[in-house]
Amino acid sequence: MRKQHRLNAVIIFAVMLFAGAGGMITSSKQQQQINKGLDDFNFLSDSEFYKGKFVEGDVFEVYGEFAYEESYNETLGIKSNSHVTSHYYLIPLTGSFDSDMPKFITLEIKTAAGVKNAELLMEQTWNYQDTGEEPDVWNEFPIQGKVSRLDGEIEEYLYDWLTNDGVDGTRADYEDMICPYVITEHSAEAVGRSMNFSITITIIGLAGIGIMIFLYIRTRQSEAVQVMPQPQPYTAYTPVNGNAPRTGNFGNTTASGSVSSPADGGESARLMEEMSRLKQPTDADEFFGSPVRREEPKTPEEPYPEPKKDMDRLDTSELGIGIADEDK
C-alpha cells in the first residue's frame, strides 16, 4: 500500500513538473512577443493572425453580444451556483473600413470591467446606427489579448446570430466578412503571473520527485542490510593420528576413536577401554538402588620388618665363624 501511495505521489509530481515546464515555455514565448511590441489588431489581415499571437488595440464599436459561457451546477435538471465566465462580442477591424469588404472579429471578455466597457460601447453603437447621432464621448477602450481559432459552438452561435437563424441570409453571405479568429482578453501582467505560477509548479514537482527518489534509495538501502552473522561452530582440530577431525577434543584421536594423552603413555586409553566393557544400567532405579561394592583396603606390607625378640639364636657353626674359647 505504501508503495502505491509513493507511486501516485511520483505521478502527481511528474505531472506538475511537466505542466510547469510547459507553462514556463509558453509564458516565455509570450513575454518575448510583448517585449518586442504588440501589433494593432485593427490593421491586421486574416493571414497575419495565428493561434497564440498576442495583440493589442482600441475597440471603437461593438456590434453586439452573440454568445456567453456559463458555469453552473446541475442536480436533477435544476441549475445552481450559475455565473457567466465569458462574453463574446462582435467588433469591427477599423483598418478594413477603407477596403471594399469590412472585416469583423470576435472579442472574448472575461473581466467585469471589460464587460462594463463593452456593454456601454455596444449601446452607443446601436444608438448611432438607429439615429445617426453620435454620443458626446465615445466609450472607446483599449484591450490586449491572445489570439485563438474561431471554431466549434462559438462559430455556430455567431453565424446563427448574424443570419437571425436564417431569416437574414445564409452563412455564406457573411463568411467573407468574418475573420476566423477570437481575441481573448489577456493582459500583459497576466503573462508575468502565469510565468511565476509555472515556475512555482515546476519547483514543487522537481522537489517532490527528488524527495521520492531519496526515500526510494533509503528504503532500498534498509532492505539490503543483512542479518547479523550466526556464531561459527567450535573450531575443529585435525588429529595427529587420524584422518577424521574431532570437534572439541584435545590430545590425539586414535583410529579406534579413543583419546589419549602423549604424557601418560596410553594409560588413559586403556582405562577408557576397560570402562567401556562395564555393564551399564538400563534403569535409573537400578543404578541408584544397587549397592556399591568396595573391597577392604589391604594393610600395606612393611618393607623392613623388625626382628622378633624371641627369635632363636642363629646357628653359626656352619658359617665358619670363629668363637672364642672362653665363650664356649
Side-chain angles (χ1 to χ4, degrees), residues 159 162-175:
Y159 284 106
L162 286 172
T163 62
N164 193 17
D165 293 332
V167 175
D168 296 330
T170 63
R171 173 170 175 162
D173 297 331
Y174 297 93
E175 284 183 343

Side-chain angles (χ1 to χ4, degrees), residues 205-234:
L206 187 61
I209 292 177
I211 293 173
M212 291 297 102
I213 293 175
F214 173 76
L215 293 177
Y216 174 78
I217 294 175
R218 287 291 300 273
T219 302
R220 295 290 294 177
Q221 288 177 347
S222 62
E223 291 177 354
V225 174
Q226 297 181 355
V227 181
M228 292 295 292
Q230 298 296 327
Q232 297 295 326
Y234 198 84

Side-chain angles (χ1 to χ4, degrees), residues 105-122:
I105 195 169
T106 299
L107 177 64
E108 179 185 8
I109 296 181
K110 297 184 177 183
T111 63
V115 171
K116 182 179 179 180
N117 289 329
E119 292 291 332
L120 179 56
L121 185 56
M122 181 176 63

Side-chain angles (χ1 to χ4, degrees), residues 193-211:
R193 292 193 297 268
S194 177
M195 172 64 79
N196 294 334
F197 178 76
S198 299
I199 292 174
T200 302
I201 293 298
T202 303
I203 292 175
I204 294 175
L206 187 61
I209 292 177
I211 293 173

Side-chain angles (χ1 to χ4, degrees), residues 118-292:
E119 292 291 332
L120 179 56
L121 185 56
M122 181 176 63
E123 182 180 349
Q124 292 177 340
T125 301
W126 280 107
N127 185 65
Y128 174 74
Q129 294 290 335
D130 292 339
T131 65
E133 296 180 1
E134 293 189 18
D136 295 335
V137 179
W138 284 93
N139 192 50
E140 301 168 356
F141 60 94
I143 194 170
Q144 290 179 332
K146 183 180 178 181
V147 176
S148 60
R149 188 77 184 180
L150 175 66
D151 53 18
E153 290 185 330
I154 301 302
E155 184 179 26
E156 295 296 329
Y157 288 143
L158 173 60
Y159 284 106
D160 289 343
W161 180 78
L162 286 172
T163 62
N164 193 17
D165 293 332
V167 175
D168 296 330
T170 63
R171 173 170 175 162
D173 297 331
Y174 297 93
E175 284 183 343
D176 292 339
M177 302 171 60
I178 301 300
C179 179
Y181 291 95
V182 178
I183 299 174
T184 300
E185 182 183 26
H186 198 93
S187 64
E189 290 78 9
V191 176
R193 292 193 297 268
S194 177
M195 172 64 79
N196 294 334
F197 178 76
S198 299
I199 292 174
T200 302
I201 293 298
T202 303
I203 292 175
I204 294 175
L206 187 61
I209 292 177
I211 293 173
M212 291 297 102
I213 293 175
F214 173 76
L215 293 177
Y216 174 78
I217 294 175
R218 287 291 300 273
T219 302
R220 295 290 294 177
Q221 288 177 347
S222 62
E223 291 177 354
V225 174
Q226 297 181 355
V227 181
M228 292 295 292
Q230 298 296 327
Q232 297 295 326
Y234 198 84
T235 304
Y237 293 86
T238 303
V240 176
N241 298 325
N243 295 326
R246 301 283 179 167
T247 301
N249 294 330
F250 294 88
N252 294 333
T253 304
T254 63
S256 63
S258 61
V259 179
S260 63
S261 173
D264 62 2
E267 185 64 19
S268 298
R270 184 184 65 77
L271 292 175
M272 293 183 69
E273 184 69 21
E274 291 180 357
M275 292 176 64
S276 65
R277 295 197 202 98
L278 295 177
K279 179 181 178 181
Q280 302 296 325
T282 59
D283 187 20
D285 295 336
E286 178 186 353
F287 176 78
F288 290 103
S290 61
V292 179

